[in-house]
Amino acid sequence: MPIYEYECETCGLLTSALILNPREEETLRCEHCQGKSLTRVLSRFALHKTESQRLKEFNPRAPRDDSFYKDSRNVGLWAKKRSKELGVDLGDQFEEVVEKARTSNHPEDFEP
Ligand SMILES: [Zn+2]
């Protein structure tokens, strides 16, 4: 189904529309403010967000970038490997904690 999303240039909100005929695009109105200036957005990932949307989704505790995130996950792996080398059995609970730390989006929440 050709469902497209359009961003309203007037209010910045999205309107989803089922477009069967390209000419329907021309008569499309914003469902929030009835504005006529709509820009098709290609995907949710390429979405151009308004300032208020960005602010709402901004998480100050989120990792700064990918490398930080990867490093944090490596800590769990490293601890696991090291404990095996030392012959220490940290038990199932530790495994669980490490797994949580590795898969968490907020590695700083991890406290061993
Ligand atoms: Zn609008």
Side-chain angles (χ1 to χ4, degrees), residues 12-31:
L13 295 173
L14 292 178
T15 295
S16 299
L18 174 70
I19 299 295
L20 299 170
N21 183 329
R23 274 184 301 180
E24 287 178 46
E25 261 189 343
E26 293 165 22
T27 58
L28 208 63
R29 295 280 189 279
C30 170
E31 65 187 30

Side-chain angles (χ1 to χ4, degrees), residues 8 10-11 30 32-35:
C8 175
T10 308
C11 70
C30 170
H32 307 281
C33 74
Q34 304 304 310

Side-chain angles (χ1 to χ4, degrees), residues 3 5 14 16 41-49 57:
I3 296 174
E5 284 193 318
L14 292 178
S16 299
V41 289
L42 294 178
S43 77
R44 290 184 180 278
F45 302 106
L47 204 63
H48 168 75
K49 288 177 182 168
E57 288 170 25

